[in-house]
Amino acid sequence: MKPKIALVQGDATGIGPELMAKLLAHAEVREAADILVLSDRGVFEAGCAVAGEAIPVHAIATAEDADWSESAINLLDLPDAAVQEVTPGVVSAAAGQAVLTCFGKALDLCKAGLTDGLCFMPFNKEAMHLAGLGEEDESQWARTRVGERSRVSEFNVIDGMWNARVTSHVPLREVAERLSQEEIVASVKLADRTLKEAGFARPRIAVAALNPHAGDGGKIGREEIEIIAPAVERARALQIACDGPFPSDTLYIKVRDGDYDCAVSMYHDQGQIAIKLLGFHMGVSVLSGLPFPMTTPAHGTAFDIVGQNRANVEPARRAFMMCAQMAANRRDRAA
């Protein structure tokens, strides 16, 4: 039986609606999962028009009306008059609110077990904050929405190379003070669990240093000696295959060359810059720690090409297929 995947529209002012239409045009995508689209129908149809795709849908008013036996895709229409008036390529609180409405409903459906996973098209964080996000980012908003108490974090995946983070969307000056052995161990444990859900039997994890040259024996900071190395030892004591801390200027070469499956970075750009340089056009973000898988393409809303039918659907396709595979793996393990 196919997993049921909730597919969320993304920011209406960006390339999300176009990407959704292109994604649904793929036979491979429709064969991988039963799909429930959550979108304002007008936004959905506008995306189809830009992409030049005619996507047959079974429009429904509630998720309970979904007919999973039909070949047409279920579209849960979430009407929003304000989002119909937004200007393409311009940050909008109305678009941010429409995202929160669709995203929140999709999270509710996954929590209730009506869908097995969630894939969303690119959000715009500024728009979401204008609409009252009230959290650090969408992963923490999702954590609050579903009532999850354990750690929730974002992973970036490029062609089989994974990157995790200890801290994420925080000012760089706060990173060092937020690091602790407990936070690093929790990040490594979540990385180990997430990669196993993605099909790795025994993930190999490399933990990054914070300072240049891994602190150079304490001459350029002591976080490696006092926090990171002890955290790595604690994680190894849990039978997790992890090593470090490694200087970040060579760590990602080890991941690229296959010595490790996943890097755990200490802060956002430490890993993001490296992993995106290795293959931005293939990137997937995995938001892990929830009771269900959640993925999205790793790029943003691309305001500069909105409405031009130039959006590359490959990251969205990879994100969807990964979500479907992770949902199927979870279901098989639970059986």
Side-chain angles (χ1 to χ4, degrees):
M1 186 172 66
K2 296 179 184 178
K4 295 179 174 64
I5 302 300
L7 183 60
V8 177
Q9 72 177 26
D11 192 289
T13 67
I15 60 172
E18 174 190 337
L19 285 175
M20 179 176 284
K22 290 179 174 179
L23 179 66
L24 294 172
H26 273 266
E28 175 191 28
V29 165
R30 299 192 303 274
E31 290 167 3
D34 292 324
I35 302 170
L36 174 63
V37 175
L38 293 94
S39 175
D40 173 276
R41 185 161 189 173
V43 171
F44 177 80
E45 291 175 348
C48 291
V50 171
E53 299 286 355
I55 306 297
V57 294
H58 172 55
I60 55 178
T62 70
E64 289 75 16
D65 296 329
D67 188 344
W68 302 107
S69 66
E70 290 192 3
S71 58
I73 296 155
N74 291 290
L75 169 64
L76 179 56
D77 185 14
L78 298 172
D80 188 328
V83 81
Q84 297 284 351
E85 305 299 323
V86 298
T87 302
V90 178
V91 173
S92 163
Q97 183 55 60
V99 159
L100 293 180
T101 298
C102 295
F103 187 38
K105 181 63 176 177
L107 290 167
D108 295 344
L109 295 177
C110 286
K111 181 181 179 181
L114 294 176
T115 48
D116 303 309
L118 190 163
C119 180
F120 61 87
M121 297 300 96
F123 293 162
N124 183 285
K125 287 184 175 59
E126 182 180 355
M128 294 169 75
H129 282 294
L130 287 173
L133 182 68
E135 297 281 355
E136 180 181 299
D137 54 28
E138 64 269 21
S139 65
Q140 300 312 308
W141 192 84
R143 179 177 183 266
T144 299
R145 179 84 176 206
V146 304
E148 179 62 45
R149 294 186 178 183
S150 61
R151 183 181 186 84
V152 173
S153 185
E154 182 177 329
F155 292 72
N156 283 97
V157 188
I158 302 287
D159 200 24
M161 298 174 287
W162 287 66
N163 180 70
R165 316 172 188 157
V166 179
T167 67
S168 189
H169 298 112
V170 301
L172 192 56
R173 65 183 179 182
E174 296 180 14
V175 169
E177 65 189 43
R178 292 194 182 208
L179 295 181
S180 67
Q181 291 185 34
E182 290 72 23
E183 286 295 308
I184 295 168
V185 171
S187 297
V188 173
K189 288 172 64 178
L190 182 57
D192 184 65
R193 189 182 96 194
T194 303
L195 267 72
K196 286 177 178 175
E197 289 176 356
F200 291 81
R202 182 166 169 75
R204 299 163 300 163
I205 299 169
V207 179
L210 173 67
N211 297 298
H213 305 297
D216 199 11
K219 296 177 183 177
I220 318 176
R222 296 190 58 81
E223 286 82 4
E224 288 75 18
I225 295 171
E226 297 174 359
I227 301 173
I228 304 174
V232 170
E233 290 305 312
R234 287 173 57 179
R236 289 168 64 91
L238 297 173
Q239 305 305 308
I240 296 174
C242 67
D243 296 309
F246 295 107
S248 58
D249 59 354
T250 56
L251 168 60
Y252 290 89
I253 297 172
K254 298 177 186 295
V255 178
R256 182 200 65 186
D257 292 348
D259 297 329
Y260 293 93
D261 304 305
C262 179
V264 175
S265 60
M266 294 298 109
Y267 59 92
H268 184 281
D269 283 5
Q270 184 182 43
Q272 290 289 87
I273 292 172
I275 206 78
K276 288 186 176 182
L277 279 172
L278 290 170
F280 181 70
H281 65 289
M282 300 182 292
V284 173
S285 293
V286 178
L287 282 69
S288 184
L290 298 172
F292 45 85
M294 182 160 59
T295 64
T296 187
H299 58 73
T301 45
F303 285 166
D304 57 320
I305 61 169
V306 173
Q308 300 176 35
N309 195 18
R310 291 171 53 197
N312 178 9
V313 74
E314 183 59 17
R317 186 194 68 81
R318 289 174 180 248
F320 185 90
M321 297 301 288
M322 180 173 289
C323 185
Q325 185 60 59
M326 292 178 75
N329 289 347
R330 280 200 186 207
R331 183 190 59 204
D332 291 347
R333 285 201 314 275

